[in-house]
Amino acid sequence: MLRHSSDVDSIGATQSTLNEQSVNNGGGKPKIYDAVVLDAALRQSLVSIRSLGKRGLKVAALEAENQVPAFSSRWCQQGIVCPSSAGTAAYLNFLEQWLERSGARVAIASSDSTVALLRQHRERLEKHVKIALARDPAMGIAINKELTLDVARQLGLGIPRGATISSVDEVSAAVKEIGLPAVIKPVESWLWDEQQGGGARFASRLVTTADEARRAVEELTQLGGTILFQQFLTGRREAVSIMYANREVHASFAQWARRTEPQLGGTSVLRQSIAVPQDIGAQSERLIREIDLEGYSEVEFRRDQAGIPYLMEINPRLSASVEIAVRSGVDFPHLLYQWANGEKIDKVRSYRVGGWMRYLKGDIMTTIEALQKRGRPGITPPGQAVLGFTLSFFQPMNYDYVDWNDLTPAIKASTEFTFEWVGGAIAKRLSRIKRSSL
């Protein structure tokens, strides 16, 4: 039987279990969900569940793990635990079976692995559900940094100096051309591993020596991916989020990140809503229109020391920082749902600026990183990092996970992090004791 509220399906769900769910609910009719939010462990997924639930929509959530704070949200009517990892064939089969029996109208995904899976099997899944993602070829351009930068170059946007390389043998030439320190990033963040039946996500790396560059390239090309070797920019990081459909911009929102985790190219853990800057606002809209990238997207820029913006990338899925937009008056998850479901999309013409949002766990981790990697380019000096972290407690702001009308997810997230922290510290201590006794 389908369960409601914070009930969670067993991780051992089987075909017979799914069949039983479909026939033992309301006279043999499957329960109709307005939306299923995939990747439920992510912050933006909890934001989506709350956003849609508060509007009276019936929302289910799916994740490949059990301890997920979003499952405990008052707005999550069913939590589904998939017994297989995201991005795998088994995950796809489980999802398809659940969609066939649940009647969910819209699926919202936010992780690279799930987005890649949905793209690859879109035709198959759309027999059961509407997928809230842009279609190809626009999607293929947006997730590929090299293709995105090519379009931006043609439009006259500022892009970092860079070189494309595919093997360690090309590192020396790239170092000579771009210089050090430099940023090494995969052209596509998610790469499929056909042998393992899944894939892997690769993040950007800062390298300061040729040896570091060679090691990073060797690791990032292990699945055959291509690498961007780019100049290192240290200025302010800003992003413009856009809801675009039917050749019309329905909402725009801008924020800047004071701190990110990790400090280079990571997710924002302390950010502020700002009015859309004239330069990157116009550039973002031109880029989205040129690609014809429908749905939600976040266009990221990094300014140099002179304040000139350079395009970093496009994230064509709900971003981890989207809650600040929702709190400021731009409900992107609901706009995304309206678009995917074929409804009239609201127009958002203004929002509140100056509001702060903090992801405390991430802020703790980025402060620790500042202590561990002191002296490296782009890393905040330890004293400044600790002072900034402390002073943020005295600044009025909202916190990720914390909703006074839905506190259980915040409590669960805090408890989980505390146990991870304590457990990790104990494990390290025991490991040192063991080594010293040998």
CSV table of all heavy atoms in Angstrom, one decimal, residues 141-193:
chain,number,residue,atom,x,y,z
A,141,ILE,N,24.3,21.2,-25.4
A,141,ILE,CA,25.2,22.4,-25.4
A,141,ILE,C,25.4,22.9,-24.0
A,141,ILE,O,26.5,23.2,-23.6
A,141,ILE,CB,24.6,23.5,-26.3
A,141,ILE,CG1,24.5,23.1,-27.8
A,141,ILE,CG2,25.4,24.8,-26.2
A,141,ILE,CD1,23.8,24.0,-28.7
A,142,ALA,N,24.3,23.0,-23.2
A,142,ALA,CA,24.4,23.6,-21.9
A,142,ALA,C,25.3,22.8,-20.9
A,142,ALA,O,26.0,23.3,-20.1
A,142,ALA,CB,23.0,23.7,-21.3
A,143,ILE,N,25.3,21.4,-21.0
A,143,ILE,CA,26.0,20.6,-20.1
A,143,ILE,C,27.5,20.5,-20.6
A,143,ILE,O,28.3,19.9,-19.8
A,143,ILE,CB,25.4,19.2,-19.9
A,143,ILE,CG1,25.5,18.4,-21.2
A,143,ILE,CG2,24.0,19.4,-19.4
A,143,ILE,CD1,25.1,17.0,-21.0
A,144,ASN,N,27.8,20.9,-21.8
A,144,ASN,CA,29.1,20.8,-22.3
A,144,ASN,C,29.8,22.2,-22.3
A,144,ASN,O,29.4,23.1,-23.0
A,144,ASN,CB,29.1,20.3,-23.7
A,144,ASN,CG,30.4,20.0,-24.3
A,144,ASN,OD1,31.2,20.9,-24.5
A,144,ASN,ND2,30.7,18.8,-24.6
A,145,LYS,N,30.8,22.4,-21.4
A,145,LYS,CA,31.4,23.7,-21.2
A,145,LYS,C,32.1,24.2,-22.5
A,145,LYS,O,32.0,25.4,-22.8
A,145,LYS,CB,32.4,23.6,-20.1
A,145,LYS,CG,31.8,23.3,-18.7
A,145,LYS,CD,32.9,23.2,-17.6
A,145,LYS,CE,32.3,22.8,-16.3
A,145,LYS,NZ,31.8,21.4,-16.3
A,146,GLU,N,32.7,23.3,-23.2
A,146,GLU,CA,33.3,23.7,-24.5
A,146,GLU,C,32.3,24.3,-25.5
A,146,GLU,O,32.6,25.3,-26.1
A,146,GLU,CB,34.1,22.5,-25.1
A,146,GLU,CG,34.9,22.9,-26.3
A,146,GLU,CD,35.8,21.7,-26.8
A,146,GLU,OE1,35.4,20.6,-26.4
A,146,GLU,OE2,36.7,22.0,-27.6
A,147,LEU,N,31.2,23.6,-25.6
A,147,LEU,CA,30.2,24.0,-26.6
A,147,LEU,C,29.5,25.3,-26.1
A,147,LEU,O,29.3,26.2,-26.9
A,147,LEU,CB,29.1,23.0,-26.8
A,147,LEU,CG,29.5,21.7,-27.4
A,147,LEU,CD1,28.4,20.7,-27.5
A,147,LEU,CD2,30.1,21.9,-28.8
A,148,THR,N,29.3,25.4,-24.8
A,148,THR,CA,28.8,26.6,-24.2
A,148,THR,C,29.7,27.8,-24.4
A,148,THR,O,29.2,28.9,-24.8
A,148,THR,CB,28.5,26.5,-22.7
A,148,THR,OG1,27.6,25.4,-22.4
A,148,THR,CG2,28.0,27.8,-22.1
A,149,LEU,N,31.0,27.7,-24.2
A,149,LEU,CA,31.9,28.8,-24.4
A,149,LEU,C,32.0,29.1,-25.9
A,149,LEU,O,32.3,30.3,-26.2
A,149,LEU,CB,33.3,28.4,-23.8
A,149,LEU,CG,33.3,28.2,-22.3
A,149,LEU,CD1,34.7,27.7,-21.9
A,149,LEU,CD2,32.9,29.5,-21.6
A,150,ASP,N,31.9,28.2,-26.8
A,150,ASP,CA,31.9,28.5,-28.2
A,150,ASP,C,30.8,29.4,-28.6
A,150,ASP,O,30.9,30.4,-29.3
A,150,ASP,CB,31.8,27.2,-29.0
A,150,ASP,CG,33.2,26.4,-29.0
A,150,ASP,OD1,34.2,27.0,-28.7
A,150,ASP,OD2,33.1,25.2,-29.4
A,151,VAL,N,29.6,29.1,-28.1
A,151,VAL,CA,28.4,30.0,-28.3
A,151,VAL,C,28.6,31.4,-27.7
A,151,VAL,O,28.4,32.4,-28.4
A,151,VAL,CB,27.1,29.3,-27.8
A,151,VAL,CG1,25.9,30.3,-27.9
A,151,VAL,CG2,26.8,28.0,-28.4
A,152,ALA,N,29.2,31.4,-26.5
A,152,ALA,CA,29.4,32.7,-25.8
A,152,ALA,C,30.5,33.5,-26.6
A,152,ALA,O,30.3,34.7,-26.7
A,152,ALA,CB,29.9,32.4,-24.4
A,153,ARG,N,31.5,32.8,-27.1
A,153,ARG,CA,32.5,33.5,-27.9
A,153,ARG,C,31.9,34.2,-29.1
A,153,ARG,O,32.2,35.3,-29.5
A,153,ARG,CB,33.6,32.5,-28.3
A,153,ARG,CG,34.8,33.2,-29.0
A,153,ARG,CD,35.8,32.1,-29.4
A,153,ARG,NE,36.4,31.5,-28.3
A,153,ARG,CZ,36.2,30.2,-27.9
A,153,ARG,NH1,35.3,29.5,-28.6
A,153,ARG,NH2,36.8,29.7,-26.9
A,154,GLN,N,31.0,33.4,-29.8
A,154,GLN,CA,30.3,34.0,-31.0
A,154,GLN,C,29.5,35.2,-30.7
A,154,GLN,O,29.3,36.1,-31.5
A,154,GLN,CB,29.5,32.9,-31.7
A,154,GLN,CG,30.3,31.7,-32.2
A,154,GLN,CD,29.4,30.5,-32.6
A,154,GLN,OE1,28.2,30.7,-32.9
A,154,GLN,NE2,30.0,29.4,-32.7
A,155,LEU,N,28.9,35.2,-29.4
A,155,LEU,CA,28.1,36.3,-29.0
A,155,LEU,C,28.9,37.5,-28.5
A,155,LEU,O,28.3,38.5,-28.1
A,155,LEU,CB,27.1,35.8,-27.9
A,155,LEU,CG,26.0,34.8,-28.4
A,155,LEU,CD1,25.2,34.4,-27.2
A,155,LEU,CD2,25.1,35.4,-29.5
A,156,GLY,N,30.2,37.3,-28.3
A,156,GLY,CA,31.0,38.4,-27.8
A,156,GLY,C,31.1,38.5,-26.3
A,156,GLY,O,31.6,39.5,-25.8
A,157,LEU,N,30.7,37.4,-25.6
A,157,LEU,CA,30.8,37.4,-24.2
A,157,LEU,C,32.3,37.1,-23.7
A,157,LEU,O,33.0,36.5,-24.5
A,157,LEU,CB,29.9,36.3,-23.6
A,157,LEU,CG,28.4,36.6,-23.3
A,157,LEU,CD1,27.7,36.9,-24.6
A,157,LEU,CD2,27.8,35.5,-22.6
A,158,GLY,N,32.6,37.6,-22.6
A,158,GLY,CA,33.9,37.4,-22.0
A,158,GLY,C,34.0,35.9,-21.6
A,158,GLY,O,33.2,35.4,-20.9
A,159,ILE,N,35.1,35.2,-22.0
A,159,ILE,CA,35.3,33.9,-21.5
A,159,ILE,C,36.8,33.8,-21.1
A,159,ILE,O,37.7,34.5,-21.6
A,159,ILE,CB,35.0,32.8,-22.6
A,159,ILE,CG1,35.9,33.1,-23.9
A,159,ILE,CG2,33.6,32.9,-23.0
A,159,ILE,CD1,35.8,32.0,-24.9
A,160,PRO,N,37.1,32.9,-20.1
A,160,PRO,CA,38.5,32.8,-19.7
A,160,PRO,C,39.4,32.3,-20.8
A,160,PRO,O,39.0,31.5,-21.6
A,160,PRO,CB,38.4,31.8,-18.5
A,160,PRO,CG,36.9,31.7,-18.2
A,160,PRO,CD,36.2,32.0,-19.4
A,161,ARG,N,40.7,32.7,-20.7
A,161,ARG,CA,41.7,32.1,-21.6
A,161,ARG,C,41.8,30.6,-21.3
A,161,ARG,O,41.8,30.2,-20.1
A,161,ARG,CB,43.0,32.8,-21.5
A,161,ARG,CG,43.1,34.2,-22.0
A,161,ARG,CD,44.5,34.7,-22.0
A,161,ARG,NE,45.0,34.8,-20.6
A,161,ARG,CZ,45.9,34.0,-20.0
A,161,ARG,NH1,46.4,33.0,-20.7
A,161,ARG,NH2,46.3,34.2,-18.8
A,162,GLY,N,41.8,29.8,-22.3
A,162,GLY,CA,41.8,28.4,-22.0
A,162,GLY,C,42.3,27.5,-23.2
A,162,GLY,O,42.3,28.0,-24.3
A,163,ALA,N,42.5,26.3,-22.9
A,163,ALA,CA,42.9,25.3,-23.9
A,163,ALA,C,42.2,24.0,-23.6
A,163,ALA,O,42.0,23.7,-22.4
A,163,ALA,CB,44.4,25.1,-23.9
A,164,THR,N,41.9,23.3,-24.7
A,164,THR,CA,41.2,22.0,-24.5
A,164,THR,C,42.3,20.9,-24.7
A,164,THR,O,43.0,20.9,-25.7
A,164,THR,CB,40.1,21.8,-25.6
A,164,THR,OG1,39.2,22.9,-25.4
A,164,THR,CG2,39.4,20.5,-25.4
A,165,ILE,N,42.3,20.0,-23.7
A,165,ILE,CA,43.3,18.9,-23.8
A,165,ILE,C,42.6,17.6,-23.5
A,165,ILE,O,41.6,17.5,-22.8
A,165,ILE,CB,44.5,19.1,-22.8
A,165,ILE,CG1,44.0,19.2,-21.4
A,165,ILE,CG2,45.3,20.4,-23.2
A,165,ILE,CD1,45.1,19.4,-20.4
A,166,SER,N,43.2,16.5,-23.9
A,166,SER,CA,42.6,15.2,-23.7
A,166,SER,C,43.5,14.1,-23.2
A,166,SER,O,43.2,13.0,-23.0
A,166,SER,CB,42.0,14.6,-25.0
A,166,SER,OG,43.0,14.6,-26.1
A,167,SER,N,44.8,14.5,-22.9
A,167,SER,CA,45.8,13.6,-22.4
A,167,SER,C,46.8,14.3,-21.6
A,167,SER,O,47.0,15.5,-21.8
A,167,SER,CB,46.4,12.7,-23.5
A,167,SER,OG,47.3,13.5,-24.3
A,168,VAL,N,47.6,13.6,-20.8
A,168,VAL,CA,48.7,14.1,-20.0
A,168,VAL,C,49.7,14.7,-20.9
A,168,VAL,O,50.4,15.7,-20.5
A,168,VAL,CB,49.2,13.0,-19.1
A,168,VAL,CG1,50.4,13.6,-18.3
A,168,VAL,CG2,48.2,12.6,-18.1
A,169,ASP,N,49.9,14.2,-22.1
A,169,ASP,CA,51.0,14.6,-23.0
A,169,ASP,C,50.8,16.1,-23.4
A,169,ASP,O,51.7,16.7,-23.9
A,169,ASP,CB,51.0,13.7,-24.2
A,169,ASP,CG,51.3,12.3,-23.9
A,169,ASP,OD1,52.0,12.1,-22.9
A,169,ASP,OD2,51.0,11.4,-24.7
A,170,GLU,N,49.6,16.6,-23.3
A,170,GLU,CA,49.3,18.0,-23.7
A,170,GLU,C,49.4,19.0,-22.6
A,170,GLU,O,49.2,20.2,-22.8
A,170,GLU,CB,47.9,18.0,-24.3
A,170,GLU,CG,47.7,17.1,-25.5
A,170,GLU,CD,46.2,17.1,-26.0
A,170,GLU,OE1,45.9,17.9,-26.8
A,170,GLU,OE2,45.5,16.2,-25.5
A,171,VAL,N,49.7,18.5,-21.4
A,171,VAL,CA,49.8,19.4,-20.2
A,171,VAL,C,50.9,20.5,-20.4
A,171,VAL,O,50.6,21.7,-20.1
A,171,VAL,CB,50.0,18.6,-18.9
A,171,VAL,CG1,50.3,19.6,-17.8
A,171,VAL,CG2,48.7,17.8,-18.6
A,172,SER,N,52.0,20.1,-20.8
A,172,SER,CA,53.2,21.1,-20.9
A,172,SER,C,52.8,22.2,-21.8
A,172,SER,O,53.1,23.4,-21.5
A,172,SER,CB,54.4,20.3,-21.4
A,172,SER,OG,54.8,19.4,-20.5
A,173,ALA,N,52.2,21.9,-23.0
A,173,ALA,CA,51.8,23.0,-23.9
A,173,ALA,C,50.8,23.9,-23.3
A,173,ALA,O,50.8,25.1,-23.5
A,173,ALA,CB,51.4,22.4,-25.2
A,174,ALA,N,49.8,23.3,-22.6
A,174,ALA,CA,48.8,24.1,-21.9
A,174,ALA,C,49.4,25.0,-20.9
A,174,ALA,O,49.0,26.2,-20.7
A,174,ALA,CB,47.7,23.2,-21.3
A,175,VAL,N,50.3,24.5,-20.1
A,175,VAL,CA,50.9,25.3,-19.0
A,175,VAL,C,51.7,26.5,-19.7
A,175,VAL,O,51.6,27.6,-19.2
A,175,VAL,CB,51.9,24.5,-18.2
A,175,VAL,CG1,52.7,25.4,-17.3
A,175,VAL,CG2,51.1,23.5,-17.4
A,176,LYS,N,52.3,26.2,-20.8
A,176,LYS,CA,53.1,27.3,-21.4
A,176,LYS,C,52.2,28.3,-22.0
A,176,LYS,O,52.4,29.5,-22.0
A,176,LYS,CB,53.9,26.7,-22.6
A,176,LYS,CG,54.8,27.7,-23.3
A,176,LYS,CD,55.7,27.0,-24.3
A,176,LYS,CE,56.6,28.0,-25.0
A,176,LYS,NZ,57.5,27.3,-26.1
A,177,GLU,N,51.0,27.9,-22.5
A,177,GLU,CA,50.1,28.8,-23.1
A,177,GLU,C,49.2,29.6,-22.1
A,177,GLU,O,49.1,30.8,-22.2
A,177,GLU,CB,49.1,28.1,-24.0
A,177,GLU,CG,48.0,29.0,-24.7
A,177,GLU,CD,47.1,28.2,-25.6
A,177,GLU,OE1,47.3,27.0,-25.8
A,177,GLU,OE2,46.1,28.8,-26.0
A,178,ILE,N,48.7,29.0,-21.0
A,178,ILE,CA,47.8,29.6,-20.1
A,178,ILE,C,48.5,30.1,-18.8
A,178,ILE,O,48.2,31.1,-18.3
A,178,ILE,CB,46.7,28.6,-19.7
A,178,ILE,CG1,46.0,28.0,-21.0
A,178,ILE,CG2,45.7,29.2,-18.8
A,178,ILE,CD1,45.4,29.1,-21.8
A,179,GLY,N,49.6,29.4,-18.4
A,179,GLY,CA,50.3,29.7,-17.2
A,179,GLY,C,49.7,29.1,-16.0
A,179,GLY,O,48.7,28.4,-16.0
A,180,LEU,N,50.4,29.3,-14.9
A,180,LEU,CA,50.0,28.8,-13.6
A,180,LEU,C,49.9,29.9,-12.5
A,180,LEU,O,50.7,30.9,-12.7
A,180,LEU,CB,51.0,27.7,-13.1
A,180,LEU,CG,51.1,26.4,-13.9
A,180,LEU,CD1,52.3,25.6,-13.5
A,180,LEU,CD2,49.8,25.6,-13.8
A,181,PRO,N,49.0,29.8,-11.5
A,181,PRO,CA,48.1,28.7,-11.3
A,181,PRO,C,47.0,28.7,-12.4
A,181,PRO,O,46.8,29.7,-13.1
A,181,PRO,CB,47.5,29.0,-9.9
A,181,PRO,CG,47.6,30.5,-9.8
A,181,PRO,CD,48.9,30.8,-10.5
A,182,ALA,N,46.3,27.5,-12.5
A,182,ALA,CA,45.3,27.4,-13.5
A,182,ALA,C,44.2,26.5,-12.9
A,182,ALA,O,44.4,25.8,-11.9
A,182,ALA,CB,45.9,26.8,-14.8
A,183,VAL,N,43.1,26.5,-13.6
A,183,VAL,CA,41.9,25.7,-13.2
A,183,VAL,C,41.7,24.6,-14.3
A,183,VAL,O,41.7,24.9,-15.5
A,183,VAL,CB,40.6,26.5,-13.1
A,183,VAL,CG1,39.5,25.6,-12.8
A,183,VAL,CG2,40.8,27.6,-12.0
A,184,ILE,N,41.6,23.4,-13.8
A,184,ILE,CA,41.4,22.3,-14.7
A,184,ILE,C,40.0,21.7,-14.4
A,184,ILE,O,39.7,21.4,-13.3
A,184,ILE,CB,42.5,21.1,-14.5
A,184,ILE,CG1,43.8,21.7,-14.9
A,184,ILE,CG2,42.1,19.9,-15.2
A,184,ILE,CD1,44.9,20.6,-14.7
A,185,LYS,N,39.2,21.7,-15.4
A,185,LYS,CA,37.8,21.2,-15.2
A,185,LYS,C,37.4,20.3,-16.4
A,185,LYS,O,37.9,20.5,-17.5
A,185,LYS,CB,36.9,22.4,-15.1
A,185,LYS,CG,36.8,23.3,-16.3
A,185,LYS,CD,35.9,24.5,-16.1
A,185,LYS,CE,36.3,25.4,-15.1
A,185,LYS,NZ,35.4,26.6,-15.1
A,186,PRO,N,36.5,19.3,-16.1
A,186,PRO,CA,36.1,18.5,-17.2
A,186,PRO,C,35.1,19.2,-18.1
A,186,PRO,O,34.3,20.1,-17.6
A,186,PRO,CB,35.3,17.3,-16.5
A,186,PRO,CG,34.9,17.9,-15.2
A,186,PRO,CD,36.0,18.9,-14.8
A,187,VAL,N,35.1,18.9,-19.4
A,187,VAL,CA,34.2,19.6,-20.3
A,187,VAL,C,32.7,19.2,-19.9
A,187,VAL,O,31.8,20.1,-20.0
A,187,VAL,CB,34.5,19.1,-21.8
A,187,VAL,CG1,33.3,19.5,-22.7
A,187,VAL,CG2,35.8,19.8,-22.3
A,188,GLU,N,32.5,18.0,-19.5
A,188,GLU,CA,31.2,17.6,-19.0
A,188,GLU,C,31.5,17.0,-17.6
A,188,GLU,O,32.3,16.1,-17.4
A,188,GLU,CB,30.5,16.5,-19.9
A,188,GLU,CG,30.1,17.1,-21.2
A,188,GLU,CD,29.2,16.2,-22.0
A,188,GLU,OE1,28.6,15.2,-21.4
A,188,GLU,OE2,29.0,16.4,-23.2
A,189,SER,N,30.7,17.5,-16.6
A,189,SER,CA,30.9,17.1,-15.2
A,189,SER,C,30.6,15.6,-15.0
A,189,SER,O,31.2,15.0,-14.1
A,189,SER,CB,30.0,17.9,-14.3
A,189,SER,OG,30.4,19.3,-14.4
A,190,TRP,N,29.7,15.0,-15.7
A,190,TRP,CA,29.3,13.6,-15.5
A,190,TRP,C,29.8,12.8,-16.7
A,190,TRP,O,29.5,13.2,-17.9
A,190,TRP,CB,27.8,13.5,-15.4
A,190,TRP,CG,27.4,12.0,-15.2
A,190,TRP,CD1,26.9,11.2,-16.2
A,190,TRP,CD2,27.4,11.3,-14.0
A,190,TRP,NE1,26.7,9.9,-15.6
A,190,TRP,CE2,26.9,10.0,-14.3
A,190,TRP,CE3,27.8,11.5,-12.7
A,190,TRP,CZ2,26.8,9.0,-13.3
A,190,TRP,CZ3,27.6,10.5,-11.7
A,190,TRP,CH2,27.2,9.3,-12.0
A,191,LEU,N,30.5,11.8,-16.5
A,191,LEU,CA,31.0,10.9,-17.6
A,191,LEU,C,30.5,9.5,-17.3
A,191,LEU,O,30.6,9.0,-16.2
A,191,LEU,CB,32.5,10.9,-17.6
A,191,LEU,CG,33.2,12.3,-18.0
A,191,LEU,CD1,34.7,12.2,-17.9
A,191,LEU,CD2,32.7,12.7,-19.4
A,192,TRP,N,30.0,8.8,-18.4
A,192,TRP,CA,29.5,7.5,-18.3
A,192,TRP,C,30.7,6.5,-18.2
A,192,TRP,O,31.7,6.6,-18.9
A,192,TRP,CB,28.6,7.1,-19.5
A,192,TRP,CG,27.3,7.8,-19.4
A,192,TRP,CD1,26.9,8.8,-20.2
A,192,TRP,CD2,26.2,7.4,-18.6
A,192,TRP,NE1,25.6,9.2,-19.9
A,192,TRP,CE2,25.2,8.3,-18.9
A,192,TRP,CE3,26.0,6.5,-17.6
A,192,TRP,CZ2,23.9,8.3,-18.3
A,192,TRP,CZ3,24.8,6.4,-17.0
A,192,TRP,CH2,23.8,7.3,-17.3
A,193,ASP,N,30.5,5.5,-17.4
A,193,ASP,CA,31.4,4.3,-17.3
A,193,ASP,C,30.7,3.1,-17.8
A,193,ASP,O,29.9,2.5,-17.1
A,193,ASP,CB,31.9,4.1,-15.9
A,193,ASP,CG,33.0,3.1,-15.8
A,193,ASP,OD1,33.2,2.3,-16.7
A,193,ASP,OD2,33.7,3.0,-14.7
